[in-house]
Structure formats: C-alpha cells, structure tokens
Amino acid sequence: MPQRYFIWFSYDGTRYHGWQVQPNGNSVQAELEKALATLLRTPVLTTGAGRTDAGVHATTMVAHFDSEASFDCAQLTYKLNRLLPRDVAVRRIAPVSNDMHARFSAVARTYYYYIHTAKDPFCRNYSCEMHYDLDFEAMNRAAAVLLHTDDFASFCKSHADVKTTLCRVTKAQWERVGEQQWRFVITANRFLRNMVRAVVGTLVDVGRGRISVEEFCRIVESRQRTSAGESMPGHALYLVDVRYPFDSDNAEQLPQPQHFFFK
C-alpha cells in the first residue's frame, strides 16, 4: 500500500501562473511533480493545501503525495532542491497517516498582503506601491468586522465553482512593519478564490475615505461581489502558514525563509 507524505515548501510566484497545473502556462505544481517523478522514477501526483493565483508567493505551502518507493526524506529534500528551479525550495518531507489530506485536513491558513507608501526599488516586485494617505485605524476597524462575518460572498471571484462561501476568519488586521511599509494579516479556516485581494482592495477604499466603515459593513452584508472594491495585484500576496491538527502536538515548526520583507 502506498505511503502518504506531506511536503512543505516555499516559492516566489513571479514566474508562475499560480500553484495549480495550468493548460496555458507553467505552474509550481508542474515543476514539483516533474522533479518528484524524476527522482522517484514514476509519475507523481500532488495535492496542494490550496491554490494561489498567478504571481502570488508562498513562504509556506503544503502538498501531499503517495508513493510506494522507499526513500530517506532528508535525502529526497536535498535532491529536490538541487533539481528544482531556484525560485522553489523544499523545506521538509514527512510521512503522515493515509487519511491526512493537504487541503481538507488543514484547520487554518494565514496570508500576508504588503503595501509600501514610498517608491522603493527593492519592494516593487513583492509589495504594492501606494501613494494615498491611508487611515489605517479606520481600516482596522473595518477589518474587525470580518471576525464576526460568516459569509464572504462579497469577496469571492464571480462565477467561482464553490459549494459554499462560508469561512471563519480568526485574525484580520493591518500591522506596520517599516517606516513606510504595512502588511495585512488574515487567518481563516479556508479562503475563497480571490478573497484576500478583494478584502484588501475594499479595506483600501476605507483607508482612502471612499467608503466608511459602516458602508464596508453593508458591502459584507450584501453578499455581492460587485459591491466590494477592486482586487489588489497578486505580486504583494503571500501564503505564509498552513496549520494541521498535529501542529499543536508535536510538529516541528518551520522557520520562515529569510527575506527582507519578513520582520
């Protein structure tokens, strides 16, 4: 019987059409499966903890795969990193019970969205440059509404193939991480397609004074994507954590990759 493995990895999404295999462009999943197949000498199918869109990054992504091959996890990690492109890095591989699922067993996911408010050549590819006077206190008052929201249809990509738009958000706040740099932190049990970028775009409308906190509440209650703000660019969005039931017991906590962004 095949053994199931979890694989933790990170990637710079700039060159990719997202995590998931695409018919019209390269993906992180395609690169990972190609490298695994080369080393294990058999086709390998992976299932990710979720999907990230074109240009979106991950400092922690998780996938699972099944294999009948016998291998040392540390050695496979080393060999994968020699074979994979420089913008994809495997951090750990571990056997798990066969009923564990990278997507459906996850209990929480966390994203960061970065913005900077002054021209910075070192941020341009990894943060969204904005030159508006933003009221972050108002943006945080609006973000707090998300903690008491069940239905996020207002922030779901139109015509998305989802059975439910219900999510449970447990953290949503703006944090200052530099003199002219901020990040939005959001944690939930699940995320809808385009949800984080739509939430950030609508919160920016609050910060610019285009809508009030009360109007933000009405947008949430409307459950209409057309009521919310525009989606923000993908290059400033990062999946930074995926949590499983075993994480609180004995799982090794992986350090975040070193990056000038992550304070």
Side-chain angles (χ1 to χ4, degrees):
M1 183 176 180
Q3 170 66 54
R4 177 156 293 182
Y5 295 88
F6 268 24
I7 178 168
W8 287 262
F9 55 102
S10 56
Y11 55 85
D12 178 333
T14 303
R15 295 192 310 118
Y16 299 100
H17 286 240
W19 150 254
Q20 195 164 331
V21 170
Q22 303 288 330
N24 60 343
N26 196 19
S27 69
V28 180
Q29 185 180 27
E31 291 287 354
L32 182 60
E33 290 183 350
K34 181 171 66 175
L36 282 167
T38 298
L39 294 173
L40 298 179
R41 302 179 184 275
T42 185
V44 176
L45 297 178
T46 61
T47 299
R51 59 182 298 165
T52 56
D53 292 333
V56 175
H57 317 289
T59 64
T60 298
M61 175 58 127
V62 184
H64 76 247
F65 66 93
D66 298 332
S67 177
E68 294 183 347
S70 177
F71 56 83
D72 178 88
C73 289
Q75 278 296 310
L76 182 59
T77 298
Y78 172 79
K79 291 177 181 178
L80 280 171
N81 283 324
R82 295 291 300 268
L83 192 58
L84 284 164
R86 293 178 63 86
D87 49 13
V88 181
V90 175
R91 297 157 65 196
R92 182 185 173 206
I93 301 172
V96 296
S97 62
N98 282 8
D99 60 350
M100 288 295 295
H101 193 284
R103 178 182 175 190
F104 298 124
S105 298
V107 295
R109 299 160 173 86
T110 298
Y111 282 88
Y112 290 167
Y113 193 94
Y114 281 89
I115 65 172
H116 57 288
T117 56
K119 186 177 180 180
D120 187 330
F122 299 105
C123 290
R124 70 189 189 281
N125 293 325
Y126 300 99
S127 174
C128 184
E129 186 173 321
M130 307 198 74
H131 296 282
Y132 304 111
D133 289 327
L134 296 174
D135 184 344
F136 285 96
E137 289 187 8
M139 292 161 70
N140 268 334
R141 290 198 302 273
V145 172
L146 303 175
L147 303 180
H148 308 286
T149 301
D150 294 323
D151 196 324
F152 286 81
S154 296
F155 306 110
C156 182
K157 185 179 179 67
S158 299
H159 310 298
D161 183 20
V162 293
K163 295 180 180 179
T164 176
T165 52
L166 299 180
C167 304
R168 186 177 68 257
V169 172
T170 53
K171 184 173 184 178
Q173 66 184 48
W174 288 91
E175 301 175 343
R176 189 168 198 159
V177 293
E179 184 176 351
Q180 295 171 316
Q181 189 179 38
W182 295 76
R183 71 183 176 199
F184 180 61
V185 182
I186 184 167
T187 300
N189 64 325
R190 64 188 292 263
F191 285 91
L192 306 173
R193 195 91 190 268
N194 206 230
M195 175 174 156
V196 179
R197 289 192 285 152
V199 165
V200 173
T202 312
L203 290 173
V204 167
D205 283 345
V206 173
R208 293 177 60 187
R210 299 179 68 180
I211 62 174
S212 65
V213 175
E214 291 71 23
E215 288 172 312
F216 180 86
C217 293
R218 289 195 286 271
I219 288 170
V220 173
E221 293 168 357
S222 75
R223 301 179 184 175
Q224 298 293 321
R225 178 65 185 92
T226 53
S227 301
E230 295 183 4
S231 291
M232 299 292 282
H235 72 277
L237 180 62
Y238 300 73
L239 174 62
V240 300
D241 198 16
V242 185
R243 293 282 161 169
Y244 295 90
F246 54 68
D247 284 333
S248 60
D249 298 327
N250 54 15
E252 175 187 352
Q253 298 304 307
L254 299 174
Q256 291 292 332
Q258 294 301 308
H259 190 290
F260 68 91
F261 259 56
F262 296 96
K263 308 296 183 182

